[in-house]
Amino acid sequence: MPQLNGGPRLTGLPSIYGMRQWLGELGHSAEDINRLNVIHVAGTKGKGSTCAFIESFLRSHGKRTGFPSKTGLYTSPHLIYPEERIRINFQPLSRDLFAKYFFEVEDVLSEGEGRRPRYLQLFFIFALHVFIREGVDATIIETHHGGEYDSTNVVKKPIVTCVTTLGLDHVEQLGSSLESIAWHKAGIFKPGARAVAAPAVPEVTSMLQNRAVEKGAALEFAESDPALPDGAIQIKPDILRTNCSVAISAARAFLEEIAGEKPSPLSDTDIIESIRQWSWPGRFQIEIEGQNTWYLDGAHNDISLTAAAEWFLSHAQSSPSPKILIFAQISHVRKGGPVVECLARALQGKLDHVIFTTYRRDEDLPEGRSEKEFNVDELQKVYVQTWKQIHPATEILVERTIDSALEAARRIGKESGSGMQTLITGSQHLVGPALALIRPPPAEEVV
């Protein structure tokens, strides 16, 4: 790893440690995993949406040609329900299958000796177990964070690896320079596997190229694909167009490698159909509720929050309705003040109201682990002070629950007589419950 100022704090055991042993206890060999035909995706921004685009391209290709017949998609975290992390043909795993396969895994691993998997390790072991048992023949896997030491890097022979847009995040674990972060993310590159990366700044490009040589991987950088349709709302804003272009390159590379001498490429029809059917809830999502418009994005770091702010302003700036931000981020990974400062500057003083809240959905639910581990009152004071230093005229409210924050925004919209335009961002732990309150799921999906 490069010796750089502000390098990572590598403490404890890497999350990849123990993964092969635990999979072996379940009877799953490296060859079983290889047969899943994996596309492995790392990055800072857009991992989830890129994975969803890749899955959509391969699913459309499969409908037309018969391959793949069954896609698997593993992403994290979930937005509303844990089943969302493990998808078959894009459908979240049913609750019956979730319970069945989980207890198959738990019953075996609970009998083992020595260290047992932590939460994310267990979830990924569980996902691989599901995909193997279900006979998936194309699998898209999102790293948790990092790459080199990530538990998902137990996959030793992926067909394609992919690195999305990189920025500074998880700096205590990955280092405070782009080079260090790129070093970690490129740890998923494998000998003989095709590698695709999003366009990057020179220092990232250089590190990715060096790591590709070191790992024996053939690396290409995805450019904006001319096959993408103009005007498609699914690939707006521009960051989604970039993610879609990376996904097309990855899907094409996958099909070329799988097919060998007789490739069956993506057709223009595959691409149009894939983009039409694509969705990724909680990312650049708009929900209209009478005169009120909600803009939801699970952005949580500087690069994604800036993109979310630009997207919101591009839609809401011309509206005469009050513009509101609902924000929460309670994390050991990032310092709250700088994150709020980044968002405040990105929104350019165009907001009338800011509402800081927590991850707690409503008063009927107890405080979650995050609220118990943090002095939330002090954290929100930091948020208020940071915002006031940049935009002293903004009216700021602090609400204890997501439900009360939504009601406060609705009240502002009602008093205005013209509704409101509200951006909800900062964490998927905020956006997921907010979405469930704004657009309640069908009764059969409610626990």
Side-chain angles (χ1 to χ4, degrees):
M1 197 175 87
Q3 297 299 309
L4 300 164
N5 292 334
R9 290 172 52 201
L10 300 177
T11 60
L13 290 172
S15 63
I16 195 172
Y17 181 82
M19 292 294 292
R20 195 176 303 177
Q21 172 197 331
W22 296 320
L23 286 163
E25 290 176 19
L26 288 164
H28 299 320
S29 67
E31 190 54 41
D32 292 330
I33 298 171
N34 294 342
R35 279 194 292 269
L36 293 175
N37 295 324
V38 170
I39 299 177
H40 199 185
V41 181
T44 304
K45 171 64 179 171
K47 287 185 300 180
S49 59
T50 300
C51 286
F53 274 123
I54 295 170
E55 190 281 335
S56 189
F57 290 128
L58 295 182
R59 182 158 38 97
S60 291
H61 184 270
K63 288 177 184 176
R64 181 173 61 84
T65 68
F67 178 83
S69 62
K70 188 179 286 189
T71 63
L73 175 63
Y74 174 75
T75 59
S76 62
H78 58 272
L79 192 63
I80 300 175
Y81 303 121
E83 295 91 334
E84 297 165 3
R85 297 182 184 223
I86 303 173
R87 295 173 181 259
I88 305 291
N89 290 332
F90 199 66
Q91 295 304 308
L93 197 65
S94 72
R95 292 190 174 176
D96 287 345
L97 285 179
F98 189 97
K100 172 188 173 182
Y101 289 135
F102 179 80
F103 284 110
E104 286 181 2
V105 171
E106 177 64 16
D107 288 348
V108 170
L109 294 186
S110 64
E111 296 296 319
E113 298 180 355
R115 287 181 65 255
R116 296 293 89 190
R118 300 189 297 270
Y119 179 75
L120 287 176
Q121 292 171 319
L122 178 60
F123 225 120
F124 184 56
I125 292 167
F126 173 35
L128 290 176
H129 179 73
V130 170
F131 296 148
I132 291 168
R133 289 289 303 273
E134 285 292 305
V136 165
D137 55 357
T139 307
I140 302 94
I141 292 170
E142 177 189 4
T143 59
H144 299 132
H145 67 82
E148 179 74 33
Y149 304 117
D150 191 72
S151 56
T152 64
N153 211 23
V154 71
V155 177
K156 293 304 178 189
K157 289 190 176 180
I159 307 300
V160 175
T161 57
C162 186
V163 175
T164 66
T165 302
L166 297 185
L168 296 176
D169 198 14
H170 295 281
V171 294
E172 288 202 355
Q173 294 85 11
L174 306 180
S176 58
S177 72
L178 287 173
E179 294 97 326
S180 180
I181 287 170
W183 185 93
H184 278 274
K185 303 291 185 181
I188 66 170
F189 293 168
K190 297 295 187 302
R194 297 273 291 274
V196 176
V201 296
E203 59 266 39
V204 168
T205 298
S206 177
M207 179 57 73
L208 294 178
Q209 290 170 331
N210 290 341
R211 288 285 270 164
V213 171
E214 174 190 328
K215 296 279 188 177
L219 173 63
E220 63 184 87
F221 289 88
E223 300 297 335
S224 181
D225 198 293
L228 296 183
D230 292 328
I233 193 170
Q234 294 89 344
I235 50 176
K236 291 183 178 180
D238 287 346
I239 186 64
L240 284 181
R241 196 173 186 89
T242 297
N243 297 344
C244 189
S245 294
V246 172
I248 288 180
S249 294
R252 283 176 172 152
F254 175 86
L255 293 171
E256 288 168 5
E257 293 301 307
I258 286 290
E261 294 181 359
K262 295 183 179 179
S264 175
L266 283 177
S267 69
D268 290 346
T269 302
D270 292 338
I271 292 170
I272 297 299
E273 171 62 18
S274 299
I275 292 171
R276 185 198 62 78
Q277 73 185 3
W278 181 86
S279 69
W280 197 235
R283 293 296 190 188
F284 302 113
Q285 183 168 353
I286 298 175
E287 292 291 329
I288 297 174
E289 179 188 79
Q291 288 186 303
N292 300 329
T293 304
W294 306 97
Y295 301 81
L296 301 101
D297 190 80
H300 56 273
N301 54 42
D302 288 6
I303 187 171
S304 56
L305 285 166
T306 299
E310 292 171 352
W311 165 71
F312 172 69
L313 291 178
S314 72
H315 284 84
Q317 193 166 343
S318 60
S319 171
S321 304
K323 292 155 196 68
I324 305 168
L325 168 69
I326 296 178
F327 178 89
Q329 186 173 116
I330 306 168
S331 172
H332 288 293
V333 175
R334 300 167 203 90
K335 294 182 179 179
V339 170
V340 170
E341 180 180 351
C342 168
L343 185 56
R345 295 193 187 284
L347 286 165
Q348 304 171 21
K350 302 292 176 62
L351 296 182
D352 303 292
H353 304 267
V354 171
I355 304 170
F356 293 118
T357 186
T358 67
Y359 297 160
R360 187 179 178 191
R361 194 175 86 161
D362 54 48
E363 293 289 351
D364 293 334
L365 293 177
E367 288 185 338
R369 186 180 68 180
S370 296
E371 285 86 348
K372 291 177 180 177
E373 291 180 354
F374 282 82
N375 185 331
V376 174
D377 290 338
E378 286 301 315
L379 182 64
Q380 290 178 329
K381 284 181 183 176
V382 170
Y383 289 168
V384 171
Q385 291 168 359
T386 301
W387 198 280
K388 284 291 188 182
Q389 287 174 357
I390 301 168
H391 303 303
T394 306
E395 293 189 25
I396 298 179
L397 298 173
V398 175
E399 297 289 343
R400 298 294 299 175
T401 69
I402 298 169
D403 187 41
S404 63
L406 297 179
E407 285 304 312
R410 289 187 179 107
R411 191 164 56 248
I412 292 167
K414 185 177 181 179
E415 290 170 356
S416 77
S418 59
M420 52 70 177
Q421 308 277 312
T422 297
L423 171 63
I424 304 173
T425 193
S427 171
Q428 284 192 273
H429 300 296
L430 164 65
V431 168
L435 182 58
L437 288 164
I438 292 167
R439 190 186 65 187
E444 64 269 17
E445 292 185 18
V446 178
V447 179

